[in-house]
């Protein structure tokens, strides 16, 4: 039985029926500069009819899916890579014929969708996939990122190329347990290992070091593992590939001193949309103030805040004198997330047009990146003539978008988890901005390769450059990277047994190949891609008599998203116990009957400090009350903000986000004489935030999944006024500087 079997999370749809994603198990291996990751998703169907479960999930940018294995109907089956259109036809045919099938497809950059068709009543299934990922040193630091959930995104998912069944939907009502361990081998095992996202234990093993999560972690935040070492050097490995050989050169650009005399023309752009509420806006505020500390009088700067609209603090770039720094500081010290939606494209267009300096202008963007239509924005930014440096904040940052944006504009990206040092990461970005620009790269092999992957157009001192090359015969000697404006980097070629390396090389070759050549590589090397899907068909003796009902498995809402939080709280009939903490200030418990407190108690606090204190003290309260008759394992929701008058409807243009639907849609209101389940983050706080008052979409009718679109599950199935519990999980440790807090999963 899988470890998460007893901890399965049950989701109830609009008709009160259950479907379950039990949880996720992850096993990762880091060796050299390669990560191999195996992810196991466990499902069950406790219903009395067959279903089709559809789940979209994130993978790191650059991840290459290498294999698919499915356990269903008492059988273990391996997936095959099939051309996309053929895979979709075969999948639909299998479902229509009453068999079970699993299809894994790329929905977009960094986004994948698993479809599990004809999961029979009472049946369990396991989907297990593997992927490989190249790791990169940035100076003495290496960062391994494992995305776990997709935060609600602003904009039109259809315009971004997603089909209805692929669109991630976040829910406040699900908890998915995560079981994760990472084995660190070879030279990496000697590095200093830490995690700013989770509590971890580190133990020595036969092959190196083993990292495990402590506590009871959930799929509500990305897992981040950092390794630091001053001794890791460049390398080049050679391994067999069919009849030939493939080499991977991983070359580290030497450190380079910044040009302290170089003035900056810096445009600081800060996302103040509603999704930034909570931990993200706290991070953004810290970053903004640190930027002001690092500016020099000879620099010019401007600050733009954006949400649904944008606001320039100054009409043009201004000198970084004491007057303007003080003026900006006074505004940014009160930064909040009260500007509605995430209209990033309009804001950046206005920033690109902002004048005031003849120097090359640089943009430093601070955001969680949660927008759908980002590919067009990246293209526009690449034509602007600006370098865009990005700082991604939050527990589930949109890595693919922010890294793509920085690479397309010859900038760089830093992702910062809530517990990471913001000042250090901003300083790294400033060091890059002031570095002398490195020129063209050229690589020399001991002999001419048959093919070679493209070199990056822009690198910074301390970066790692990965280059693949193919050879007909084994090659000996050294590979040298020549850097115009910098020192050469060399590494000796060494034979290695890396079975998956040729497949990673094929995936990298697809980046610059034609569609026809990419399809050939994907099929030859069995790689999931834009042109191919993984497919498993399980012939059943007990055929399904009807077509399955579609059920989209929702995302667990990212911790701290939009300032929301869910904590385990102890209750009695008179309401929650908060030792040493006033029930009336700053936590206001709404006017619910006393006998309802056990099921639904929603707290409102009106400042971030009170929010931090409340989360920390409630967490300690739960621990103190464990084992007593008063203790209940019922969660509650605590949020920053104020309530609107009952019955008052909010303007959809300013409502910002709807947690019950998709990021950026709908408005909410509070009904009279009901248990309130909506919060207005209005003026002066964190922007509007509501559960949707719109009815959930009906469960999809039986028929072709490709034609009936979305439906089935809804993240707020009962609407406002329902007495069901709502909330999302946030550790007390998500707010820095609170007594008793730390980077530990919630108990």
């Amino acid at each position: 039985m899988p470890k998460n079997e007893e901890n399965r999370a049950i989701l109830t749809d609009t008709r009160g029926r259950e479907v379950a994603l039990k949880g996720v198990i992850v096993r990762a291996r880091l060796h050299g500069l390669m990560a191999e990751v195996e992810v196991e998703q466990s499902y069950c169907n406790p219903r009395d009819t067959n279903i089709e479960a559809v789940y979209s999930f994130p993978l790191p940018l650059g991840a290459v899916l290498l294999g698919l294995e499915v356990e269903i109907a008492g059988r273990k089956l391996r997936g095959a890579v099939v051309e996309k259109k053929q895979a979709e036809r075969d999948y639909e045919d299998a479902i229509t014929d009453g068999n079970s099938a699993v299809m894994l497809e790329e929905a977009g950059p960094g986004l994948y969708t698993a479809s599990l068709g004809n999961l029979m009543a009472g049946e369990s299934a396991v989907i297990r996939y593997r992927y490989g990922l190249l790791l990169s040193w940035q100076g003495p630091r290496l960062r391994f990122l494992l995305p776990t959930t997709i935060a609600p995104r602003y904009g039109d998912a259809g315009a971004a190329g997603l089909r209805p069944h692929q669109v991630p939907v976040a829910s406040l009502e699900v908890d998915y347990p995560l079981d994760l361990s990472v084995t660190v081998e070879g030279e990496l095992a000697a590095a200093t290992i830490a995690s700013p996202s989770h509590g971890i234990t580190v133990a020595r093993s036969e092959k190196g070091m083993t990292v495990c999560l402590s506590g009871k972690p959930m799929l509500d935040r990305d897992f981040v593992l950092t390794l630091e070492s001053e001794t890791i050097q460049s390398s080049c490995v050679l391994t067999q590939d069919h009849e030939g050989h493939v080499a991977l050169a991983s070359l580290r650009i030497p450190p380079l001193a910044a040009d302290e005399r170089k003035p900056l023309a810096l445009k600081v752009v800060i996302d103040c949309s509603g999704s930034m509420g909570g931990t993200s806006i706290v991070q953004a505020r810290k970053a903004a103030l640190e930027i002001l500390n690092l500016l020099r009088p000879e620099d010019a700067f401007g600050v733009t805040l954006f949400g649904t609209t944008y606001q320039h603090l100054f009409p043009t770039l201004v000198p970084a004198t004491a007057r303007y720094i003080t003026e900006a500081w006074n505004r940014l010290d009160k930064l909040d997330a009260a500007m509605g939606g995430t209209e990033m494209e309009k804001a950046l267009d206005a920033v690109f047009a902002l004048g005031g300096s003849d120097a090359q202008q640089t943009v430093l963007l601070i955001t969680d990146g949660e927008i759908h239509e980002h590919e067009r924005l990246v293209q526009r930014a690449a034509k602007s003539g600006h370098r865009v440096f990005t700082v991604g904040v939050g527990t589930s940052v949109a890595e693919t978008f922010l890294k793509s944006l920085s690479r397309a504009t010859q900038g760089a990206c830093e992702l910062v988890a809530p517990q990471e040092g913001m000042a250090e990461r901003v300083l790294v970005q400033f060091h890059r901005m002031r570095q002398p620009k490195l020129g063209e790269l050229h690589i020399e092999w001991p002999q001419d390769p048959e093919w070679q992957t493209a070199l990056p157009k822009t690198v910074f001192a301390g970066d790692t450059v990965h280059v693949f090359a193919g050879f007909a015969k084994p090659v000996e000697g050294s590979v040298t990277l020549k850097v115009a404006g910098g020192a050469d980097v060399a590494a000796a070629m060494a034979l290695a047994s890396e079975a998956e390396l040729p497949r990673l090389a094929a995936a990298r070759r697809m980046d610059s190949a034609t569609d026809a050549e990419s399809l050939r590589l994907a099929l030859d090397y069995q790689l999931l891609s834009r042109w191919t899907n993984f497919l498993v068909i399980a012939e059943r003796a007990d055929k399904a008599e009807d077509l399955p009902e579609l059920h989209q498995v929702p995302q667990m809402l990212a911790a701290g998203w939009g300032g929301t939080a869910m904590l385990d709280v102890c209750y009695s009939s008179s309401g929650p116990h908060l030792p040493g903490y006033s029930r009336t200030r700053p936590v206001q418990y709404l006017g619910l009957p006393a006998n309802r407190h056990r099921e639904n108690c929603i707290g409102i606090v009106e400042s971030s400090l009170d929010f931090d204190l409340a989360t920390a003290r409630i967490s300690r309260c739960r621990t103190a009350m464990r084992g007593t008759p008063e203790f209940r394992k019922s969660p509650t929701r605590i949020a920053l903000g104020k309530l609107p008058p009952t019955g008052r409807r909010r303007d959809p243009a300013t409502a910002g986000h709807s947690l019950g639907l998709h990021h950026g849609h709908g408005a909410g209101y509070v009904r009279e004489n009901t248990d309130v389940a909506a919060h207005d983050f209005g003026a002066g706080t964190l922007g509007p935030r509501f559960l949707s008052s719109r009815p959930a979409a009906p469960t999809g009718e039986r028929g072709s999944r490709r034609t009936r679109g979305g439906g089935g599950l809804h993240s707020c199935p009962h609407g406002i006024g329902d007495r069901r519990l709502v909330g999302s999980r946030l550790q007390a440790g998500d707010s820095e500087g609170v007594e008793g807090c730390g980077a530990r999963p919630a108990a």
Side-chain angles (χ1 to χ4, degrees):
M1 177 182 294
K3 183 173 181 178
N4 287 325
E5 174 80 23
E6 61 186 37
N7 296 322
R8 73 186 187 193
I10 302 295
L11 179 71
T12 304
D13 77 356
T14 56
R15 301 183 188 179
R17 298 169 301 183
E18 295 177 345
V19 63
L21 172 65
K22 299 177 185 178
V24 172
I25 299 174
V26 179
R27 298 291 178 259
R29 173 176 171 248
L30 311 186
H31 57 102
L33 284 182
M34 182 176 172
E36 295 183 66
V37 183
E38 181 179 270
V39 180
E40 179 180 293
Q41 300 170 349
S42 299
Y43 298 86
C44 73
N45 177 16
R47 302 187 175 198
D48 58 4
T49 185
N50 53 313
I51 65 168
E52 179 184 28
V54 180
Y55 182 45
S56 292
F57 56 90
L59 288 184
L61 181 64
V64 180
L65 273 161
L66 300 170
L68 173 67
E69 186 177 86
V70 176
E71 295 180 25
I72 190 170
R75 302 167 62 190
K76 183 180 290 188
L77 303 169
R78 292 188 180 277
V81 170
V82 181
E83 191 272 330
K84 181 175 285 289
K85 291 183 179 179
Q86 184 63 48
E88 291 177 350
R89 288 193 294 267
D90 292 348
Y91 176 84
E92 292 290 348
D93 288 345
I95 302 303
T96 302
D97 293 341
N99 295 312
S100 295
V102 173
M103 184 169 66
L104 191 57
E105 59 185 329
E106 180 179 341
L111 179 63
Y112 296 82
T113 299
S115 299
L116 170 56
N118 276 338
L119 184 62
M120 308 299 284
E123 191 171 51
S124 295
V126 173
I127 295 177
R128 190 178 296 111
Y129 59 86
R130 295 185 303 110
Y131 67 85
L133 177 71
L134 292 181
L135 306 172
S136 296
W137 290 96
Q138 290 185 323
R141 188 171 182 264
L142 182 149
R143 194 176 197 268
F144 171 60
L145 172 68
L146 181 79
T148 63
T149 191
I150 304 167
R153 293 182 176 177
Y154 182 85
D156 186 348
L162 297 182
R163 288 182 280 182
H165 72 283
Q166 297 172 332
V167 179
V169 178
S171 172
L172 296 164
E173 298 183 289
V174 294
D175 284 342
Y176 301 138
L178 170 65
D179 177 15
L180 181 146
S181 66
V182 181
T183 302
V184 184
E185 302 178 4
E187 290 183 328
L188 290 179
T192 302
I193 299 174
S195 174
S197 61
H198 290 73
I200 60 172
T201 61
V202 183
R204 191 171 299 279
S205 61
E206 292 182 3
K207 296 184 178 181
M209 306 297 289
T210 299
V211 179
C212 296
L213 298 185
S214 58
K216 295 182 179 179
M218 297 286 175
L219 285 180
D220 66 344
R221 68 198 68 214
D222 294 343
F223 172 71
V224 179
L225 192 71
T226 61
L227 298 90
E228 292 194 12
S229 175
E230 298 286 353
T231 62
I232 304 296
Q233 302 298 320
S234 299
S235 63
C236 184
V237 295
L238 184 74
T239 193
Q240 191 163 356
D241 177 18
H242 300 307
E243 300 300 322
H245 288 76
V246 63
L248 168 62
S250 301
L251 305 167
R252 297 178 66 187
I253 307 296
L256 189 65
D259 184 354
E260 303 298 340
R261 299 167 298 176
K262 180 181 179 181
L264 291 178
L266 182 62
K267 300 176 179 180
V268 182
V269 184
I270 305 174
D271 185 350
C272 296
S273 64
S275 69
M276 289 283 289
T279 55
S280 296
I281 200 66
V282 172
Q283 287 184 276
R285 189 184 305 122
K286 290 179 180 179
L289 298 180
E290 185 61 29
I291 289 167
L292 297 181
N293 282 332
L294 294 172
L295 288 170
R296 301 194 178 104
E298 59 270 22
D299 296 330
F301 80 106
V303 179
T304 301
L305 314 179
F306 76 92
T308 303
T309 60
Y310 59 85
Q311 173 192 354
H312 299 309
L313 265 59
F314 309 108
T316 186
L317 295 187
V318 297
T321 59
R323 170 194 166 186
Y324 290 114
I325 292 293
T326 301
E327 187 175 339
W329 184 285
N330 290 337
R331 175 63 181 87
L332 296 178
D333 192 35
K334 301 175 183 178
L335 194 67
D336 55 21
M339 295 185 69
T342 314
E343 294 289 345
M344 190 181 299
E345 186 172 345
K346 294 178 182 178
L348 285 179
D349 283 345
V351 168
F352 294 149
L354 201 62
S357 175
D358 294 331
Q360 181 185 15
Q361 298 184 3
T362 299
V363 171
L364 181 55
L365 172 65
I366 304 169
T367 179
D368 57 12
E370 300 298 349
I371 61 174
H372 276 298
E373 300 170 78
H374 58 77
E375 292 187 359
R376 182 179 62 186
L377 189 153
V378 170
Q379 294 171 0
R380 292 170 70 91
K383 299 176 181 178
S384 71
H386 289 67
R387 295 191 303 167
V388 180
F389 292 78
T390 55
V391 175
V393 296
T395 59
S396 180
V397 66
E399 177 208 17
T400 297
F401 163 47
L402 295 183
K403 287 189 174 180
S404 299
L405 177 61
S406 60
R407 289 176 183 175
T409 58
Q410 301 183 30
C413 175
E414 285 287 335
L415 306 180
V416 189
Q419 297 292 335
E420 283 188 278
M422 179 61 74
E424 177 187 354
R425 306 329 304 164
V426 171
L427 181 61
V428 168
Q429 290 288 52
F430 263 75
H431 187 79
R432 291 181 177 126
M433 294 175 200
R434 297 190 191 274
Q435 278 183 24
K437 187 175 180 180
L438 297 176
E440 185 177 352
L441 304 180
H442 176 71
I443 193 165
E444 295 181 352
W445 302 92
Q447 67 183 56
D448 291 338
E450 296 183 332
W451 55 263
Q452 175 188 302
T453 57
L455 289 163
K457 295 180 179 179
T458 303
V459 294
F460 295 92
D463 287 356
T464 301
V465 176
H466 293 296
V467 187
F468 289 98
F471 299 92
K473 297 179 180 179
V475 180
E476 295 181 352
S478 295
V479 58
T480 302
L481 180 68
K482 294 187 174 295
V483 184
D488 294 348
V489 185
M493 301 182 71
L495 289 174
S497 178
E498 294 288 354
E500 305 297 357
L501 202 62
R503 302 179 69 191
L504 267 64
R508 183 66 65 91
R509 293 168 65 186
M510 290 161 60
D511 291 343
S512 56
T514 63
D515 286 356
E517 178 64 12
S518 294
L519 175 60
R520 184 191 68 78
L521 287 168
L523 293 174
D524 287 351
Y525 287 88
Q526 287 290 283
L527 301 174
L528 188 145
S529 67
R530 290 190 291 134
W531 303 273
T532 53
N533 294 349
F534 264 114
L535 181 65
V536 173
I537 295 177
E539 296 279 349
R540 303 190 66 100
D542 55 333
K543 306 287 187 183
E545 296 180 359
D546 297 309
L547 289 175
E549 293 183 353
L550 174 67
H551 295 285
Q552 287 180 277
V553 178
Q555 308 290 311
M556 189 173 174
L557 191 66
W561 186 88
T564 58
M566 183 176 80
L567 299 133
D568 289 328
V569 182
C570 43
Y571 293 94
S572 73
S573 59
S574 60
H577 291 268
L578 299 177
Y581 203 64
S582 168
R583 291 186 64 230
T584 58
R585 185 196 172 280
V587 179
Q588 305 168 6
Y589 287 97
L590 307 185
L592 308 178
N595 63 358
R596 299 300 301 170
H597 281 170
R598 297 190 183 195
E599 296 179 42
N600 187 358
C601 196
I602 302 170
I604 304 296
V605 295
E606 296 187 5
S607 78
S608 58
L609 174 61
D610 290 340
F611 178 79
D612 293 345
L613 290 172
T615 57
R617 295 189 183 190
I618 289 176
S619 180
R620 292 201 300 274
C621 167
R622 182 183 186 278
T623 301
M625 298 295 292
R626 186 183 300 278
T628 69
E630 307 276 359
F631 177 78
R632 299 288 186 275
K633 280 189 79 174
S634 298
T636 189
R637 183 180 180 194
I638 293 183
L640 284 166
K642 301 178 182 179
L643 287 174
T646 58
R648 175 185 173 189
R649 186 171 179 83
R650 300 292 301 183
D651 181 357
T654 61
H657 311 282
S658 168
L659 294 183
L661 295 171
H662 303 298
H663 192 173
H665 295 277
Y669 58 89
V670 179
R671 297 175 183 168
E672 297 193 48
N673 302 320
T674 62
D675 288 351
V676 179
H679 298 261
D680 174 14
F681 300 132
T685 54
L686 293 182
R689 185 75 66 254
F690 298 92
L691 298 180
S692 173
S693 60
R694 286 162 52 177
T699 302
E701 298 299 325
R702 297 175 187 270
S704 170
R705 176 174 63 84
R706 301 296 165 181
T707 59
R708 66 178 182 257
L713 301 177
H714 192 272
S715 55
C716 184
H718 302 273
I720 293 177
D722 175 62
R723 293 177 181 269
R724 293 178 59 84
L725 171 75
V726 295
S728 66
R729 182 174 300 275
L730 174 68
Q731 298 176 192
D734 284 342
S735 298
E736 296 182 353
V738 181
E739 179 186 356
C741 297
R744 296 186 297 275

